[in-house]
Every structure is written in C-alpha cells, then in structure tokens.
Amino acid sequence: MSKEPPSTSDNPAQEGSEYVFRLDTRKLREIAERNGGGTGYAIARRAGISESSAYRILSGEAQPDLNSAMRIAEAYDIDLRTVIKRIPVEAAA
C-alpha cells in the first residue's frame, strides 16, 4: 500500500496515512445517466460486463477488477481517474 495521503489533499505526493482506491459509484451513475442510463442493466450492457457484477459494483458490495473498470471507462469515454477516489484504509475497512 502507498503512504500517500487520502484524496482530500491537493498534493497526492505528501506523506501521510495509507489509502486504497475505490470506484466512486455516485460519479459513475451521474456519467451513465447523462449518457442514456444509470442502472446496473444499462451499464452492464454498454460496458460488456455481467449484469450481476454491475449491480454489485453500484451497490458498493464489490469493486471492479481492472478489466471491468477499463471497460466501464471506455464505454463512457471517461478517464478512469475521474471515477476513482482515494479512501483512507481505516474508512475502507
């Protein structure tokens, strides 16, 4: 794990607490809704991932693997960094 601070800092190179990356499902839904549908079904169809995976990702039950995350990003023509957030390890547990 990295020793960089959580995303609340403007300088990600500062030393600080450990963090993990998580998909920001709120941002993903907003982007998906602007592009024709923010449901798990619509995201699954557009990104080419399973519907159950899409629903688990949107509910926060699961995080996408890199392949699924890239498929989602490409399907909505977004930079993956725009829908990924840093969360302190303590908050992610």
Side-chain angles (χ1 to χ4, degrees):
M1 272 189 237
S2 177
K3 294 283 184 180
E4 292 181 21
S7 63
T8 56
S9 172
D10 290 335
N11 183 358
Q14 286 180 338
E15 292 184 30
S17 65
E18 293 183 0
Y19 63 90
V20 295
F21 291 101
R22 294 282 190 243
L23 181 70
D24 187 336
T25 56
R26 182 187 55 78
K27 281 186 184 177
L28 174 60
R29 275 188 193 269
E30 288 172 4
I31 292 167
E33 286 172 0
R34 285 195 307 261
N35 289 282
T39 66
Y41 175 78
I43 291 170
R45 296 273 303 193
R46 186 165 180 160
I49 62 174
S50 73
E51 192 173 346
S52 63
S53 291
Y55 279 108
R56 289 182 29 231
I57 290 166
L58 290 173
S59 72
E61 182 181 326
Q63 286 295 305
D65 60 15
L66 182 58
N67 185 52
S68 296
M70 290 301 297
R71 285 176 176 265
I72 292 167
E74 287 181 352
Y76 291 97
D77 194 29
I78 55 175
D79 184 329
L80 192 56
R81 293 172 291 186
T82 63
V83 292
I84 298 291
K85 60 183 175 180
R86 289 185 201 176
I87 299 177
V89 170
E90 307 81 46

Coordinates of all heavy atoms in Angstrom, one line a residue:
M1 N 0.8 -1.2 0.0 CA 0.0 0.0 0.0 C 0.9 1.2 0.0 O 2.0 1.3 0.5 CB -0.9 0.0 1.2 CG -2.2 -0.7 1.0 SD -3.2 -0.4 2.4 CE -3.5 -2.1 2.9
S2 N 0.3 2.3 -0.6 CA 1.0 3.5 -0.7 C 1.0 4.3 0.7 O 0.1 4.1 1.5 CB 0.4 4.4 -1.8 OG 1.0 5.6 -1.8
K3 N 1.9 5.2 0.8 CA 2.0 6.0 2.0 C 1.5 7.4 1.7 O 1.6 8.3 2.5 CB 3.4 6.1 2.6 CG 3.9 4.8 3.1 CD 3.3 4.5 4.4 CE 3.9 3.2 5.0 NZ 3.4 2.9 6.3
E4 N 0.9 7.6 0.5 CA 0.4 8.9 0.1 C -0.9 9.2 0.9 O -1.6 8.3 1.3 CB 0.1 9.0 -1.4 CG 1.4 8.9 -2.1 CD 1.2 9.0 -3.6 OE1 0.2 9.4 -4.1 OE2 2.1 8.5 -4.4
P5 N -1.3 10.5 1.0 CA -2.5 10.9 1.8 C -3.8 10.6 1.0 O -3.7 10.3 -0.2 CB -2.3 12.4 1.9 CG -1.5 12.8 0.7 CD -0.6 11.7 0.5
P6 N -4.9 10.6 1.7 CA -6.2 10.4 1.0 C -6.5 11.6 0.1 O -5.8 12.6 0.1 CB -7.2 10.4 2.2 CG -6.5 11.1 3.3 CD -5.0 10.8 3.1
S7 N -7.5 11.4 -0.8 CA -7.8 12.4 -1.8 C -8.2 13.7 -1.4 O -8.3 14.6 -2.2 CB -8.9 11.8 -2.7 OG -10.1 11.7 -2.0
T8 N -8.4 13.9 -0.1 CA -8.8 15.3 0.4 C -7.6 16.3 0.3 O -7.9 17.4 0.3 CB -9.2 15.2 1.9 OG1 -8.1 14.6 2.7 CG2 -10.5 14.4 2.1
S9 N -6.4 15.8 0.1 CA -5.3 16.6 -0.1 C -5.2 17.0 -1.6 O -5.4 16.3 -2.5 CB -4.0 15.9 0.3 OG -2.9 16.7 0.0
D10 N -4.7 18.3 -1.8 CA -4.4 18.7 -3.2 C -3.1 18.2 -3.7 O -2.8 18.3 -4.8 CB -4.4 20.2 -3.2 CG -5.8 20.8 -3.1 OD1 -6.8 20.1 -3.4 OD2 -6.0 22.0 -2.7
N11 N -2.3 17.7 -2.8 CA -0.9 17.3 -3.1 C -0.8 15.8 -2.8 O -0.5 15.4 -1.7 CB 0.1 18.1 -2.4 CG 1.5 17.7 -2.8 OD1 1.7 16.8 -3.6 ND2 2.5 18.3 -2.2
P12 N -1.1 14.9 -3.8 CA -1.0 13.5 -3.5 C 0.4 12.9 -3.2 O 0.5 11.8 -2.7 CB -1.5 12.8 -4.8 CG -1.6 13.9 -5.8 CD -1.5 15.2 -5.1
A13 N 1.4 13.8 -3.4 CA 2.8 13.3 -3.1 C 3.2 13.5 -1.6 O 4.2 13.1 -1.2 CB 3.8 14.0 -4.0
Q14 N 2.3 14.2 -0.8 CA 2.7 14.4 0.6 C 2.7 13.0 1.3 O 2.0 12.1 1.0 CB 1.6 15.3 1.3 CG 1.6 16.7 0.9 CD 0.5 17.4 1.6 OE1 -0.5 16.9 2.1 NE2 0.7 18.7 1.8
E15 N 3.5 13.0 2.4 CA 3.5 11.8 3.2 C 2.3 11.8 4.1 O 1.9 12.9 4.5 CB 4.8 11.7 4.0 CG 6.0 11.5 3.1 CD 7.3 11.3 4.0 OE1 7.2 10.8 5.1 OE2 8.3 11.6 3.4
G16 N 1.7 10.7 4.4 CA 0.5 10.7 5.3 C 0.0 9.3 5.5 O 0.8 8.3 5.4
S17 N -1.3 9.1 5.7 CA -1.9 7.8 6.0 C -1.9 7.0 4.8 O -1.9 7.4 3.7 CB -3.2 8.0 6.6 OG -4.1 8.6 5.7
E18 N -2.1 5.7 5.0 CA -2.3 4.8 3.9 C -3.7 4.9 3.4 O -4.6 5.3 4.0 CB -2.0 3.3 4.4 CG -0.6 3.1 4.8 CD -0.4 1.7 5.2 OE1 -1.3 0.9 5.2 OE2 0.8 1.4 5.6
Y19 N -3.9 4.5 2.1 CA -5.2 4.6 1.5 C -5.3 3.5 0.4 O -4.4 2.8 0.1 CB -5.3 6.0 0.8 CG -4.3 6.2 -0.4 CD1 -4.6 5.8 -1.7 CD2 -3.1 6.8 -0.1 CE1 -3.7 6.0 -2.7 CE2 -2.2 7.0 -1.1 CZ -2.5 6.6 -2.4 OH -1.6 6.7 -3.4
V20 N -6.6 3.4 0.0 CA -6.9 2.4 -1.0 C -7.7 3.2 -2.1 O -8.3 4.3 -1.8 CB -7.8 1.2 -0.5 CG1 -6.9 0.4 0.4 CG2 -9.0 1.7 0.2
F21 N -7.8 2.6 -3.3 CA -8.6 3.3 -4.3 C -10.0 2.6 -4.4 O -10.1 1.3 -4.3 CB -7.9 3.1 -5.7 CG -6.7 4.0 -5.8 CD1 -5.4 3.4 -5.6 CD2 -6.8 5.3 -6.0 CE1 -4.3 4.2 -5.7 CE2 -5.6 6.1 -6.1 CZ -4.4 5.5 -6.0
R22 N -11.0 3.3 -4.6 CA -12.4 2.8 -4.7 C -13.1 3.5 -5.9 O -12.8 4.7 -6.2 CB -13.2 3.1 -3.5 CG -12.7 2.3 -2.3 CD -13.2 0.9 -2.3 NE -12.9 0.2 -1.1 CZ -12.1 -0.8 -1.0 NH1 -11.4 -1.3 -2.0 NH2 -11.9 -1.4 0.2
L23 N -13.9 2.8 -6.6 CA -14.7 3.4 -7.6 C -15.8 4.3 -7.0 O -16.4 3.9 -6.0 CB -15.5 2.3 -8.4 CG -16.3 2.8 -9.5 CD1 -15.5 3.3 -10.7 CD2 -17.2 1.6 -10.0
D24 N -15.9 5.5 -7.5 CA -16.9 6.5 -7.0 C -18.2 6.2 -7.7 O -18.4 6.7 -8.8 CB -16.4 7.9 -7.2 CG -17.3 8.9 -6.6 OD1 -18.5 8.7 -6.3 OD2 -16.8 10.1 -6.3
T25 N -19.0 5.4 -7.1 CA -20.2 5.0 -7.8 C -21.2 6.1 -8.1 O -21.9 6.1 -9.0 CB -21.0 3.8 -7.0 OG1 -21.2 4.3 -5.7 CG2 -20.1 2.6 -7.0
R26 N -21.2 7.1 -7.2 CA -22.0 8.3 -7.4 C -21.7 9.0 -8.7 O -22.5 9.3 -9.6 CB -21.9 9.3 -6.3 CG -22.8 10.5 -6.4 CD -22.6 11.5 -5.3 NE -21.2 12.0 -5.2 CZ -20.6 12.8 -6.1 NH1 -21.3 13.4 -7.1 NH2 -19.3 13.2 -5.9
K27 N -20.4 9.2 -8.9 CA -19.9 9.8 -10.2 C -20.2 8.9 -11.4 O -20.6 9.4 -12.4 CB -18.4 10.1 -10.1 CG -18.0 11.3 -9.3 CD -16.5 11.6 -9.4 CE -16.1 12.7 -8.6 NZ -14.7 12.9 -8.6
L28 N -20.0 7.6 -11.2 CA -20.3 6.7 -12.3 C -21.7 6.8 -12.7 O -22.1 6.9 -13.9 CB -19.9 5.3 -12.0 CG -20.3 4.2 -13.0 CD1 -19.6 4.5 -14.4 CD2 -19.9 2.8 -12.5
R29 N -22.6 6.8 -11.8 CA -24.1 6.8 -12.1 C -24.4 8.2 -12.8 O -25.2 8.2 -13.7 CB -24.9 6.7 -10.8 CG -25.2 5.3 -10.4 CD -26.1 5.3 -9.2 NE -26.2 4.1 -8.6 CZ -27.1 3.1 -8.9 NH1 -27.9 3.3 -9.9 NH2 -27.1 2.0 -8.3
E30 N -23.8 9.3 -12.3 CA -24.1 10.6 -12.9 C -23.7 10.5 -14.4 O -24.4 11.0 -15.3 CB -23.3 11.7 -12.2 CG -23.9 12.0 -10.8 CD -23.0 13.0 -10.1 OE1 -22.0 13.5 -10.6 OE2 -23.4 13.3 -8.9
I31 N -22.5 10.0 -14.7 CA -22.0 10.0 -16.0 C -22.9 9.0 -16.9 O -23.2 9.4 -18.0 CB -20.5 9.5 -16.0 CG1 -19.6 10.6 -15.4 CG2 -20.1 9.1 -17.5 CD1 -18.2 10.1 -15.1
A32 N -23.2 7.9 -16.3 CA -24.0 6.9 -17.0 C -25.4 7.5 -17.3 O -26.0 7.3 -18.4 CB -24.1 5.6 -16.2
E33 N -26.0 8.2 -16.4 CA -27.3 8.8 -16.6 C -27.3 9.8 -17.6 O -28.3 10.0 -18.4 CB -27.9 9.4 -15.2 CG -28.3 8.3 -14.3 CD -28.7 8.8 -12.9 OE1 -28.6 10.0 -12.7 OE2 -29.0 7.9 -12.1
R34 N -26.2 10.6 -17.7 CA -26.1 11.6 -18.8 C -25.9 11.0 -20.1 O -26.1 11.6 -21.2 CB -24.9 12.5 -18.5 CG -25.2 13.5 -17.4 CD -24.1 14.6 -17.4 NE -22.7 14.2 -17.4 CZ -22.0 14.1 -16.3 NH1 -22.5 14.5 -15.1 NH2 -20.7 13.7 -16.3
N35 N -25.6 9.7 -20.1 CA -25.3 9.0 -21.4 C -26.3 7.9 -21.7 O -25.9 6.9 -22.3 CB -23.9 8.5 -21.4 CG -22.9 9.6 -21.5 OD1 -22.6 10.1 -22.6 ND2 -22.3 9.9 -20.4
G36 N -27.5 8.0 -21.1 CA -28.5 7.0 -21.5 C -29.0 6.0 -20.5 O -29.8 5.2 -20.8
G37 N -28.4 6.0 -19.3 CA -28.9 5.1 -18.3 C -27.9 4.8 -17.2 O -26.8 4.4 -17.5
G38 N -28.4 4.9 -16.0 CA -27.5 4.7 -14.8 C -27.8 3.5 -14.1 O -27.4 3.3 -13.0
T39 N -28.6 2.6 -14.7 CA -29.0 1.3 -14.0 C -27.9 0.3 -14.2 O -27.0 0.4 -15.1 CB -30.3 0.7 -14.5 OG1 -30.1 0.3 -15.9 CG2 -31.4 1.7 -14.4
G40 N -27.8 -0.7 -13.3 CA -26.9 -1.8 -13.5 C -27.0 -2.5 -14.8 O -26.0 -2.8 -15.5
Y41 N -28.2 -2.6 -15.2 CA -28.5 -3.3 -16.5 C -27.9 -2.5 -17.7 O -27.2 -3.0 -18.5 CB -30.0 -3.4 -16.7 CG -30.4 -4.0 -18.1 CD1 -30.2 -5.3 -18.4 CD2 -30.8 -3.2 -19.1 CE1 -30.5 -5.9 -19.6 CE2 -31.1 -3.6 -20.4 CZ -31.0 -5.0 -20.6 OH -31.3 -5.5 -21.9
A42 N -28.2 -1.1 -17.7 CA -27.7 -0.3 -18.7 C -26.2 -0.2 -18.8 O -25.5 -0.3 -19.8 CB -28.3 1.1 -18.6
I43 N -25.5 -0.1 -17.6 CA -24.1 -0.1 -17.5 C -23.5 -1.4 -18.0 O -22.5 -1.4 -18.7 CB -23.6 0.3 -16.1 CG1 -24.0 1.8 -15.8 CG2 -22.1 0.1 -15.9 CD1 -23.9 2.2 -14.3
A44 N -24.1 -2.5 -17.5 CA -23.6 -3.8 -17.9 C -23.6 -4.0 -19.4 O -22.7 -4.4 -20.1 CB -24.4 -4.9 -17.2
R45 N -24.8 -3.6 -20.0 CA -24.9 -3.8 -21.5 C -23.9 -2.9 -22.2 O -23.3 -3.4 -23.2 CB -26.3 -3.4 -21.9 CG -27.4 -4.3 -21.4 CD -27.7 -5.4 -22.2 NE -28.0 -5.0 -23.6 CZ -28.5 -5.7 -24.5 NH1 -28.8 -7.0 -24.2 NH2 -28.7 -5.2 -25.7
R46 N -23.8 -1.7 -21.8 CA -22.9 -0.7 -22.5 C -21.4 -1.1 -22.4 O -20.6 -1.0 -23.3 CB -23.1 0.7 -22.0 CG -22.4 1.7 -22.8 CD -22.9 3.1 -22.6 NE -22.1 4.0 -23.3 CZ -22.5 5.2 -23.6 NH1 -23.7 5.6 -23.2 NH2 -21.8 6.0 -24.3
A47 N -21.0 -1.6 -21.1 CA -19.6 -1.9 -20.9 C -19.2 -3.3 -21.2 O -18.0 -3.6 -21.2 CB -19.3 -1.6 -19.4
G48 N -20.2 -4.2 -21.4 CA -19.9 -5.5 -21.7 C -19.4 -6.3 -20.5 O -18.6 -7.2 -20.6
I49 N -20.0 -6.0 -19.3 CA -19.7 -6.8 -18.1 C -21.0 -7.4 -17.7 O -22.1 -7.1 -18.2 CB -19.1 -5.9 -17.0 CG1 -20.1 -4.8 -16.5 CG2 -17.8 -5.3 -17.4 CD1 -19.7 -4.0 -15.3
S50 N -20.9 -8.4 -16.8 CA -22.1 -9.1 -16.4 C -23.0 -8.1 -15.6 O -22.6 -7.2 -14.9 CB -21.8 -10.3 -15.5 OG -21.4 -9.9 -14.2
E51 N -24.3 -8.4 -15.7 CA -25.3 -7.5 -15.0 C -25.1 -7.7 -13.5 O -25.2 -6.7 -12.8 CB -26.7 -7.9 -15.4 CG -27.8 -7.0 -15.0 CD -29.1 -7.3 -15.5 OE1 -29.2 -8.2 -16.5 OE2 -30.1 -6.8 -15.0
S52 N -24.9 -8.9 -13.0 CA -24.7 -9.1 -11.6 C -23.4 -8.3 -11.1 O -23.5 -7.7 -10.0 CB -24.6 -10.6 -11.2 OG -23.4 -11.1 -11.8
S53 N -22.4 -8.3 -11.9 CA -21.2 -7.5 -11.5 C -21.5 -6.0 -11.4 O -21.1 -5.3 -10.5 CB -20.1 -7.7 -12.5 OG -19.6 -9.0 -12.4
A54 N -22.2 -5.5 -12.4 CA -22.6 -4.1 -12.4 C -23.4 -3.7 -11.2 O -23.1 -2.7 -10.5 CB -23.4 -3.8 -13.7
Y55 N -24.4 -4.6 -10.8 CA -25.2 -4.3 -9.7 C -24.4 -4.3 -8.4 O -24.6 -3.5 -7.5 CB -26.4 -5.2 -9.6 CG -27.6 -4.7 -10.5 CD1 -27.9 -5.4 -11.6 CD2 -28.3 -3.6 -10.1 CE1 -28.9 -5.0 -12.4 CE2 -29.3 -3.2 -10.9 CZ -29.6 -3.9 -12.1 OH -30.7 -3.5 -12.9
R56 N -23.5 -5.3 -8.3 CA -22.6 -5.4 -7.1 C -21.7 -4.2 -7.0 O -21.4 -3.7 -5.9 CB -21.9 -6.7 -7.1 CG -22.8 -7.9 -6.8 CD -22.2 -9.3 -6.8 NE -20.8 -9.2 -6.3 CZ -19.8 -9.8 -7.0 NH1 -20.0 -10.5 -8.1 NH2 -18.5 -9.7 -6.5
I57 N -21.2 -3.8 -8.1 CA -20.3 -2.6 -8.1 C -21.1 -1.4 -7.7 O -20.6 -0.6 -6.8 CB -19.7 -2.4 -9.5 CG1 -18.6 -3.5 -9.8 CG2 -19.0 -1.0 -9.6 CD1 -18.2 -3.6 -11.2
L58 N -22.2 -1.1 -8.3 CA -23.0 0.0 -8.0 C -23.5 0.1 -6.5 O -23.7 1.1 -5.9 CB -24.2 0.2 -8.9 CG -23.9 0.5 -10.3 CD1 -25.1 0.4 -11.2 CD2 -23.2 1.9 -10.4
S59 N -23.8 -1.1 -5.9 CA -24.3 -1.2 -4.6 C -23.1 -1.0 -3.6 O -23.4 -0.8 -2.4 CB -25.0 -2.5 -4.3 OG -24.0 -3.6 -4.2
G60 N -21.9 -1.1 -4.0 CA -20.7 -1.0 -3.1 C -20.3 -2.3 -2.6 O -19.4 -2.4 -1.8
E61 N -21.0 -3.4 -2.9 CA -20.7 -4.7 -2.4 C -19.4 -5.2 -3.0 O -18.8 -6.1 -2.4 CB -21.9 -5.6 -2.9 CG -21.8 -7.1 -2.4 CD -22.9 -7.9 -2.9 OE1 -24.0 -7.4 -3.0 OE2 -22.7 -9.1 -3.2
A62 N -19.0 -4.8 -4.2 CA -17.8 -5.2 -4.8 C -17.1 -4.1 -5.5 O -17.8 -3.1 -5.9 CB -18.1 -6.3 -5.8
Q63 N -15.8 -4.2 -5.7 CA -15.1 -3.2 -6.5 C -14.7 -3.9 -7.8 O -14.4 -5.1 -7.8 CB -13.8 -2.8 -5.8 CG -14.0 -1.9 -4.6 CD -14.5 -0.6 -5.1 OE1 -14.0 0.1 -5.9 NE2 -15.7 -0.2 -4.5
P64 N -14.7 -3.2 -8.9 CA -14.4 -3.8 -10.2 C -12.9 -4.2 -10.3 O -12.1 -3.5 -9.7 CB -14.7 -2.7 -11.2 CG -14.5 -1.4 -10.5 CD -15.0 -1.7 -9.0
D65 N -12.7 -5.3 -11.0 CA -11.3 -5.6 -11.3 C -10.8 -4.6 -12.4 O -11.7 -3.8 -12.9 CB -11.2 -7.0 -11.8 CG -12.0 -7.4 -13.0 OD1 -12.4 -6.5 -13.7 OD2 -12.1 -8.6 -13.3
L66 N -9.6 -4.6 -12.7 CA -9.1 -3.6 -13.7 C -9.7 -3.8 -15.0 O -10.1 -2.8 -15.7 CB -7.5 -3.8 -13.8 CG -6.9 -2.8 -14.8 CD1 -7.1 -1.4 -14.3 CD2 -5.4 -3.1 -14.8
N67 N -10.0 -5.0 -15.5 CA -10.6 -5.2 -16.8 C -12.0 -4.6 -16.8 O -12.4 -3.9 -17.7 CB -10.7 -6.7 -17.1 CG -11.3 -7.0 -18.4 OD1 -10.8 -6.5 -19.4 ND2 -12.3 -7.8 -18.5
S68 N -12.8 -4.8 -15.8 CA -14.2 -4.2 -15.7 C -14.1 -2.7 -15.6 O -14.9 -2.0 -16.3 CB -14.9 -4.8 -14.5 OG -15.1 -6.2 -14.7
A69 N -13.2 -2.2 -14.8 CA -13.1 -0.8 -14.7 C -12.7 -0.1 -16.0 O -13.2 0.9 -16.4 CB -12.0 -0.4 -13.6
M70 N -11.8 -0.7 -16.7 CA -11.4 -0.2 -18.0 C -12.5 -0.3 -19.0 O -12.7 0.6 -19.8 CB -10.2 -0.9 -18.6 CG -8.9 -0.6 -17.8 SD -8.5 1.2 -17.8 CE -8.2 1.5 -19.5
R71 N -13.3 -1.4 -19.0 CA -14.5 -1.5 -19.9 C -15.5 -0.4 -19.6 O -16.0 0.2 -20.5 CB -15.1 -2.9 -19.7 CG -14.3 -4.0 -20.4 CD -15.0 -5.3 -20.0 NE -14.4 -6.4 -20.7 CZ -14.8 -6.9 -21.9 NH1 -15.8 -6.4 -22.5 NH2 -14.1 -7.9 -22.4
I72 N -15.7 -0.1 -18.3 CA -16.7 0.9 -18.0 C -16.1 2.3 -18.5 O -16.9 3.1 -19.1 CB -16.9 0.9 -16.5 CG1 -17.7 -0.3 -16.0 CG2 -17.7 2.2 -16.0 CD1 -17.7 -0.6 -14.5
A73 N -14.9 2.5 -18.2 CA -14.3 3.8 -18.6 C -14.4 4.0 -20.1 O -14.7 5.1 -20.6 CB -12.8 3.9 -18.2
E74 N -14.0 3.0 -20.9 CA -14.1 3.1 -22.3 C -15.5 3.2 -22.9 O -15.8 3.9 -23.8 CB -13.4 1.8 -23.0 CG -11.9 1.9 -22.8 CD -11.2 0.7 -23.5 OE1 -11.9 -0.2 -23.9 OE2 -10.0 0.8 -23.5
A75 N -16.4 2.5 -22.2 CA -17.8 2.5 -22.7 C -18.4 4.0 -22.5 O -19.3 4.4 -23.3 CB -18.7 1.6 -21.8
Y76 N -18.0 4.7 -21.5 CA -18.5 6.0 -21.3 C -17.5 7.1 -21.7 O -17.7 8.3 -21.4 CB -18.9 6.2 -19.8 CG -20.2 5.4 -19.6 CD1 -20.1 4.1 -19.0 CD2 -21.4 5.8 -19.9 CE1 -21.2 3.4 -18.8 CE2 -22.5 5.1 -19.7 CZ -22.4 3.8 -19.1 OH -23.5 3.1 -19.0
D77 N -16.4 6.7 -22.3 CA -15.4 7.6 -22.8 C -14.9 8.6 -21.7 O -14.9 9.8 -21.9 CB -15.9 8.4 -24.0 CG -14.7 9.2 -24.8 OD1 -13.6 8.7 -24.7 OD2 -15.0 10.2 -25.4
I78 N -14.5 8.0 -20.6 CA -14.0 8.8 -19.4 C -12.6 8.3 -19.0 O -12.3 7.2 -19.3 CB -15.0 8.7 -18.2 CG1 -15.2 7.2 -17.8 CG2 -16.3 9.4 -18.5 CD1 -16.0 7.0 -16.6
D79 N -11.9 9.2 -18.5 CA -10.6 8.9 -17.9 C -10.9 8.2 -16.6 O -11.7 8.7 -15.7 CB -9.8 10.2 -17.6 CG -8.4 9.9 -17.1 OD1 -8.2 8.9 -16.4 OD2 -7.6 10.8 -17.4
L80 N -10.4 7.0 -16.4 CA -10.7 6.2 -15.2 C -10.4 7.0 -13.9 O -11.1 6.8 -12.9 CB -9.9 4.9 -15.2 CG -10.2 3.8 -14.2 CD1 -11.7 3.4 -14.4 CD2 -9.4 2.6 -14.5
R81 N -9.4 7.9 -14.0 CA -9.1 8.7 -12.8 C -10.2 9.6 -12.3 O -10.3 10.0 -11.1 CB -7.8 9.5 -13.0 CG -6.6 8.6 -13.2 CD -5.4 9.4 -13.6 NE -5.6 9.9 -15.0 CZ -4.8 10.5 -15.7 NH1 -3.6 10.8 -15.2 NH2 -5.0 10.9 -16.9
T82 N -11.2 9.9 -13.2 CA -12.3 10.7 -12.8 C -13.3 10.0 -11.9 O -14.1 10.7 -11.3 CB -13.0 11.4 -14.0 OG1 -13.6 10.3 -14.8 CG2 -12.0 12.2 -14.8
V83 N -13.3 8.7 -12.0 CA -14.3 7.9 -11.2 C -13.7 7.1 -10.1 O -14.3 6.2 -9.5 CB -15.2 7.1 -12.1 CG1 -16.2 8.0 -12.9 CG2 -14.5 6.1 -13.0
I84 N -12.4 7.3 -9.9 CA -11.7 6.6 -8.8 C -11.4 7.6 -7.7 O -11.0 8.7 -8.0 CB -10.4 6.0 -9.3 CG1 -10.7 4.9 -10.4 CG2 -9.6 5.4 -8.2 CD1 -11.4 3.7 -9.9
K85 N -11.6 7.2 -6.5 CA -11.3 8.1 -5.3 C -10.4 7.3 -4.4 O -10.4 6.1 -4.3 CB -12.5 8.6 -4.6 CG -13.4 7.5 -4.1 CD -14.7 8.1 -3.5 CE -15.6 7.0 -3.0 NZ -16.9 7.5 -2.5
R86 N -9.6 8.1 -3.6 CA -8.8 7.6 -2.6 C -9.5 7.6 -1.3 O -10.2 8.6 -0.9 CB -7.5 8.4 -2.4 CG -6.5 8.3 -3.5 CD -5.3 9.0 -3.1 NE -4.6 9.3 -4.4 CZ -3.6 10.1 -4.4 NH1 -3.1 10.6 -3.4 NH2 -3.0 10.3 -5.6
I87 N -9.4 6.5 -0.5 CA -10.1 6.4 0.8 C -9.1 5.9 1.8 O -8.3 5.0 1.5 CB -11.3 5.4 0.7 CG1 -12.3 5.9 -0.3 CG2 -11.9 5.2 2.1 CD1 -13.5 5.0 -0.5
P88 N -9.0 6.6 2.9 CA -8.1 6.1 4.0 C -8.4 4.6 4.3 O -9.6 4.2 4.3 CB -8.3 7.0 5.2 CG -8.9 8.2 4.6 CD -9.7 7.8 3.4
V89 N -7.4 3.9 4.6 CA -7.6 2.4 4.9 C -8.6 2.3 6.0 O -9.4 1.4 6.0 CB -6.2 1.8 5.2 CG1 -6.4 0.4 5.8 CG2 -5.3 1.7 4.0
E90 N -8.5 3.1 7.0 CA -9.4 3.0 8.2 C -10.9 3.1 7.7 O -11.7 2.4 8.2 CB -9.2 4.1 9.2 CG -7.7 4.2 9.7 CD -6.8 5.0 8.8 OE1 -7.2 6.1 8.3 OE2 -5.7 4.5 8.5
A91 N -11.2 4.0 6.8 CA -12.5 4.2 6.3 C -13.0 3.1 5.4 O -14.2 2.8 5.3 CB -12.7 5.5 5.6
A92 N -12.1 2.4 4.7 CA -12.4 1.4 3.8 C -12.6 0.0 4.5 O -13.2 -0.9 3.9 CB -11.3 1.2 2.8
A93 N -12.2 -0.1 5.7 CA -12.3 -1.4 6.4 C -13.7 -1.7 6.8 O -14.6 -1.0 6.8 CB -11.4 -1.4 7.7

